[in-house]
Amino acid sequence: MLPLEIPAGTTVESLVREVVPELHARLVPDGVPGDAFTVSVRVEGTGSYTVRIRGREMHVDRGETESRPTLWFFTTSRAVERFLEDALGPRRFLPQSSQQGLAVAIISDPRIVKRVAMASGRIELALTDVDGERLAIVLGFGDATRRRIDPEDADVVVEAEMMTLQRILDGRLLPEDALGDGDVKVRGNRFLAMQLALAVAPFYPAAARKKR
């Protein structure tokens, strides 16, 4: 089984409340710190959730119940639906082997959540050419968590095409190198974008780094 296998019939709701917690428990390694983290999640068109993480455990409740989460995550129902369509089809958004990819770890690995939370601001990450659509997520951390989720006017916007995402997923392009890649557009606070990339960097597959 590939590391990010999404069951057939998964909905936006079941992805957040069932599938991601199961993947988290399976893929986050033993021995990670047991610090408690909270992530507020809003999927426009579906609902809001509060995700509580402690080590390999993840619990998800409906609603934004935490006044000061560790970080927050915003996207749209359409973006999640397109992800699910892809996961059950061409799998362009997913790593193709157990040696690649970080998708679950980026969202929920406690070590990465802790590193990301050291930054402060809002970042929008977007794919610009998903079969004619632009799909985006927005993350908020640091001072941005003092207020309710607000995806408008992010401090930095990072845009890329599907081909660039695939280069990252298959290990041909490291996260921190992607920001200097000619196919990636960065508007706004480039330092904040680099902080996020460097938060992920130590957990990227070692084999990809040897190719540098």
Side-chain angles (χ1 to χ4, degrees):
M1 178 181 289
L2 291 173
L4 292 181
E5 196 72 30
I6 306 297
T10 298
T11 64
V12 177
E13 175 85 2
S14 65
L15 177 70
V16 177
R17 302 202 69 194
E18 300 171 19
V19 176
V20 171
E22 290 172 1
L23 288 170
H24 176 90
R26 179 162 61 88
L27 296 178
V28 171
D30 289 326
V32 297
D35 308 49
F37 300 105
T38 306
V39 181
S40 292
V41 176
R42 184 184 301 170
V43 183
E44 188 174 64
T46 297
S48 295
Y49 308 88
T50 297
V51 180
R52 293 182 170 83
I53 300 167
R54 186 184 292 273
R56 299 181 67 193
E57 296 182 1
M58 174 187 287
H59 301 282
V60 182
D61 299 312
R62 288 192 179 94
E64 297 171 34
T65 61
E66 187 70 28
S67 60
R68 183 73 189 275
T70 308
L71 57 88
W72 55 253
F73 176 97
F74 172 90
T75 192
T76 63
S77 293
R78 180 58 178 164
V80 181
E81 288 165 359
R82 291 306 309 270
F83 168 80
L84 291 174
E85 290 170 8
D86 180 84
L88 298 175
R91 299 180 61 89
R92 296 170 298 174
F93 298 163
L94 298 175
Q96 297 301 308
S97 82
S98 60
Q99 301 302 312
Q100 302 165 354
L102 299 166
V104 168
I106 288 173
I107 294 172
S108 66
D109 189 300
R111 298 165 297 175
I112 296 180
V113 172
K114 184 175 183 178
R115 290 171 64 90
V116 169
M118 296 173 66
S120 184
R122 295 171 298 159
I123 182 169
E124 178 178 325
L125 305 174
L127 288 173
T128 59
D129 65 337
V130 184
D131 301 325
E133 293 185 82
R134 182 183 187 275
L135 304 180
I137 64 172
V138 185
L139 298 170
F141 24 75
D143 287 344
T145 64
R146 296 179 181 273
R147 301 174 294 279
R148 294 182 64 83
I149 294 174
D150 179 9
E152 301 298 325
D153 300 320
D155 299 293
V156 60
V157 177
V158 181
E159 293 181 320
E161 296 182 353
M162 181 65 68
M163 184 178 297
T164 302
L165 174 64
Q166 291 171 337
R167 290 168 61 202
I168 293 172
L169 290 176
D170 68 17
R172 288 180 290 144
L173 182 64
L174 297 173
E176 64 270 33
D177 292 341
L179 297 177
D181 187 82
D183 294 328
V184 176
K185 297 179 181 178
V186 182
R187 301 195 307 273
N189 187 343
R190 181 176 288 270
F191 177 72
L192 181 59
M194 183 58 74
Q195 282 183 293
L196 183 63
L198 292 176
V200 174
F203 303 92
Y204 203 74
R209 296 197 167 276
K210 292 178 181 178
K211 297 177 184 178
R212 298 182 79 168

